[in-house]
Amino acid sequence: MATVTNENVDREIMRHGRKLVSLRFYLLRKNRYDVSSDVFNKFQDKQGDFFQSDTNSLLSLYSAAHMRTKGEKVLDKAIYFTKKHLLGALEHLESPCVEEVYFALLTPPFRRVRILEARSYIPCYEKEPTRNEAILELAKLNFNILQLLFCGELKEVTLWWQKLKVGSNLSFVRDRIVETYFWINGTSYNHKYSYSRIIATKITAFMTIIDDILDTYGSTEESMQLAEAINRWDEGVVDVLPEYMKDVYLYLLETFRSFEEHLGPGKSYRVVYLKESAISVNVLIFFMKTIFPSKFKKLVQAYSAELKWRDEKYVPKKISEHLEVSTISIGTSVVACAFFVGMDNINADTFNWLSSKTKLLKSFAIFVRLTNDMASTQREQQGVHCASTIQSYMKEHEMTKDDACEKIKELIENSWEDMLKHYLELIEQPMVVPQIILELSRTVDNMYKHTDAYTNSKTIKDTIRMLFIDPME
């Protein structure tokens, strides 16, 4: 019979205490309660080192620590400590614990796309000896019902996309409607946001078309013609467009009209916000060396500057100079606005908030821009493209590409911490507003984790099949 000593008791209390505190901290911050991280100080010794613990407690602390905001030193230490010990434990662990640790190290729980996390966890829960069979059955049934809903939405946007005849009329455009819907679906799988997913998918698909016209096909003159047509937003100007652009332009107008008709008189005003946002990001980027109406102001100036960078092979001297422009061109405000247009619990205050320079939207745009550049800069720089943030960082700090990439990774983490801080602070908007911004960030992290999965879509083929095709049995 083992002897129970005071030391053993203290260790057991410490182990369970850390796990419980970590879980509570994680759940409270996840739900926008800005609790203090000082509670973790008691799990450090006099030298500031964390006490050793078992794998489950380490995982709990690791997950909680990733709810950190900038300047929370105790959580910085916790991440370093837990990551070091979890990496060391990997080779000794057995399934399913080894998979749990591996995926946590790859992507902390709070950074994961929730619908993918739910789909992946159900088979893991099924292996648990203490599982509740009723909960398991309901989880599978719930997912299968959602999958039917997703397939209905995917059918709608696919039929919509096929009317454009991308394969024959726009062969240069990335044919990614399924991948686009997959991306948007990760933002929220709630049944009541079905129309939001459809709107955001269609808008993102249009952004892809116009981006590909600019990058791979259209001349500067043609691009300016399209920009002028969309600026006027009138079917009567279609004749000035090149033949291959006419259907795209008319379909754009038709799609926006369909949004207004679906929303009805009481909510159709929202489409005006989306229209202005879409024009700013997707079209005014084409204008360069031109005098613009004053109403477009800084947005137009920013996109003009980006085109000049490309044509003049200019590399901004500082990354801050680059971000002033590129955080607009990344289009985060457009996608967010598209998602909110279809929501019932959103009013004009939220759309005005989206139009302002809020801290959350700024850190969100920085996170997306830097994450995108890390994944796609190598491919883009093989052709004619403007300089990325990586090149600006190299120039500003006179360092190699590899060193600059490591620094950019740090900036990505900083921007995530800033987002989380502003997520906790934003109390004047409905909770769903900062939640959607954070969910969009998770989908970006997922799509660009290893490569540009949107362009290299074969890398997510199995995940798409798991989500939309294979039912739970």
Side-chain angles (χ1 to χ4, degrees):
M1 183 175 180
T3 302
V4 179
T5 65
N6 288 335
E7 183 181 351
N8 290 336
V9 172
D10 290 342
R11 187 181 295 113
E12 194 70 7
I13 292 173
M14 182 65 70
R15 181 171 68 86
H16 288 292
R18 175 155 56 184
K19 188 173 181 179
L20 183 60
V21 168
S22 298
L23 178 60
R24 287 175 173 173
F25 181 84
Y26 177 86
L27 292 175
L28 286 168
R29 282 217 169 173
K30 181 180 179 181
N31 289 282
R32 281 208 308 177
Y33 291 95
D34 194 6
V35 292
S36 174
S37 58
D38 291 345
V39 68
F40 292 101
N41 288 331
K42 65 181 179 181
F43 300 117
Q44 296 175 287
D45 59 25
K46 293 180 180 179
Q47 287 72 42
D49 297 322
F50 281 86
F51 297 110
Q52 294 286 356
S53 189
D54 62 279
T55 302
N56 285 332
S57 294
L58 284 171
L59 271 174
S60 295
L61 179 57
Y62 177 82
S63 298
H66 276 89
M67 304 299 291
R68 63 179 173 175
T69 59
K70 192 174 294 183
E72 292 188 300
K73 300 299 183 182
V74 66
L75 297 184
D76 293 338
K77 290 181 179 179
I79 289 177
Y80 176 81
F81 171 82
T82 53
K83 187 174 183 178
K84 175 184 175 181
H85 288 278
L86 288 172
L87 281 170
L90 267 179
E91 58 184 76
H92 306 296
L93 297 174
E94 297 180 355
S95 184
C97 189
V98 65
E99 289 87 0
E100 186 177 1
V101 170
Y102 173 79
F103 287 114
L105 291 171
L106 184 64
T107 307
F110 191 65
R111 297 273 281 267
R112 298 174 189 169
V113 176
R114 291 190 298 161
I115 185 60
L116 298 181
E117 177 73 352
R119 175 61 179 82
S120 299
Y121 180 70
I122 292 173
C124 296
Y125 181 73
E126 191 170 16
K127 297 176 183 178
E128 291 287 341
T130 57
R131 67 184 178 274
N132 183 306
E133 292 294 344
I135 291 177
L136 178 62
E137 183 179 356
L138 286 172
K140 290 182 177 181
L141 179 60
N142 181 64
F143 176 81
N144 289 341
I145 292 172
L146 281 174
Q147 190 178 70
L148 291 174
L149 173 65
F150 298 158
C151 288
E153 294 170 3
L154 187 54
K155 177 182 178 181
E156 178 175 339
V157 297
T158 300
L159 290 173
W160 168 85
W161 178 255
Q162 288 175 345
K163 288 183 181 179
L164 270 174
K165 298 180 180 179
V166 172
S168 55
N169 296 343
L170 302 167
S171 57
F172 58 89
V173 170
R174 285 169 289 178
D175 193 352
R176 298 288 188 275
I177 192 61
V178 175
E179 292 83 354
T180 302
Y181 175 75
F182 167 75
W183 194 333
I184 296 300
N185 179 274
T187 302
S188 177
Y189 57 87
N190 193 305
H191 184 281
K192 64 181 178 180
Y193 298 143
S194 177
Y195 194 56
S196 289
R197 291 191 290 271
I198 290 171
I199 293 176
T201 299
K202 291 179 179 180
I203 291 301
T204 305
F206 265 123
M207 291 171 65
T208 300
I209 292 173
I210 297 176
D211 183 55
D212 288 347
I213 288 175
L214 171 65
D215 279 351
T216 64
Y217 198 82
S219 65
T220 300
E221 181 181 359
E222 290 172 340
S223 298
M224 292 178 68
Q225 289 171 341
L226 178 60
E228 174 61 20
I230 297 181
N231 182 36
R232 293 172 64 177
W233 208 263
D234 181 3
E235 291 183 5
V237 302
V238 69
D239 291 337
V240 307
L241 295 173
E243 198 63 34
Y244 73 94
M245 288 185 183
K246 290 181 179 180
D247 287 341
V248 173
Y249 176 69
L250 291 175
Y251 205 43
L252 177 65
L253 302 187
E254 179 186 332
T255 299
F256 271 78
R257 281 198 298 269
S258 72
F259 295 158
E260 292 172 336
E261 291 170 2
H262 187 278
L263 291 169
K267 298 177 183 176
S268 59
Y269 74 91
R270 302 174 178 186
V271 182
V272 175
Y273 288 93
L274 180 58
K275 187 185 299 182
E276 291 301 315
S277 182
I279 289 173
S280 298
V281 174
N282 289 321
V283 180
L284 297 179
I285 187 173
F286 299 132
F287 281 103
M288 180 177 60
K289 302 175 183 177
T290 307
I291 298 176
F292 303 91
S294 59
K295 65 179 179 179
F296 298 123
K297 294 181 181 179
K298 293 184 178 180
L299 281 177
V300 179
Q301 296 170 10
Y303 286 103
S304 301
E306 191 166 72
L307 282 179
K308 289 181 180 180
W309 295 351
R310 184 195 68 184
D311 291 351
E312 298 173 5
K313 298 181 180 180
Y314 172 71
V315 179
K317 298 177 182 178
K318 294 185 177 182
I319 191 171
S320 58
E321 177 189 355
H322 196 294
L323 291 173
E324 284 181 7
V325 175
S326 59
T327 50
I328 302 172
S329 67
I330 196 62
T332 51
S333 60
V334 179
V335 180
C337 183
F339 213 95
F340 291 128
V341 164
M343 290 185 171
D344 291 333
N345 50 341
I346 296 297
N347 56 36
D349 289 341
T350 295
F351 292 101
N352 291 328
W353 177 82
L354 282 169
S355 302
S356 61
K357 294 182 178 180
T358 67
K359 294 178 180 179
L360 177 59
L361 291 175
K362 181 179 179 181
S363 55
F364 169 47
I366 292 173
F367 176 81
V368 177
R369 165 50 63 194
L370 297 179
T371 303
N372 175 279
D373 282 2
M374 281 294 297
S376 61
T377 187
Q378 185 172 355
R379 172 183 58 82
E380 290 177 342
Q381 297 311 317
Q382 291 175 355
V384 179
H385 203 276
C386 68
S388 73
T389 51
I390 297 172
Q391 290 171 295
S392 285
Y393 202 95
M394 291 168 61
K395 185 173 184 178
E396 179 179 357
H397 299 280
E398 298 181 346
M399 59 174 55
T400 65
K401 181 179 179 181
D402 288 343
D403 289 340
C405 285
E406 290 303 312
K407 292 296 183 180
I408 293 293
K409 289 179 183 177
E410 293 179 13
L411 293 178
I412 290 173
E413 289 305 309
N414 289 342
S415 61
W416 177 269
E417 292 173 18
D418 286 339
M419 267 195 299
L420 186 53
K421 180 177 185 294
H422 304 317
Y423 165 80
L424 295 171
E425 293 175 343
L426 185 64
I427 58 174
E428 67 270 19
Q429 290 293 328
M431 188 170 180
V432 69
V433 173
Q435 281 181 336
I436 289 297
I437 300 300
L438 223 59
E439 295 288 5
L440 282 168
S441 302
R442 291 185 179 106
T443 64
V444 170
D445 186 59
N446 182 62
M447 291 294 280
Y448 294 122
K449 175 67 70 174
H450 304 293
T451 184
D452 181 353
Y454 185 70
T455 300
N456 305 314
S457 58
K458 289 182 179 179
T459 60
I460 53 174
K461 181 179 179 180
D462 291 341
T463 307
I464 290 175
R465 174 178 291 277
M466 178 185 73
L467 193 58
F468 301 139
I469 298 176
D470 298 335
M472 300 294 301
E473 297 178 353

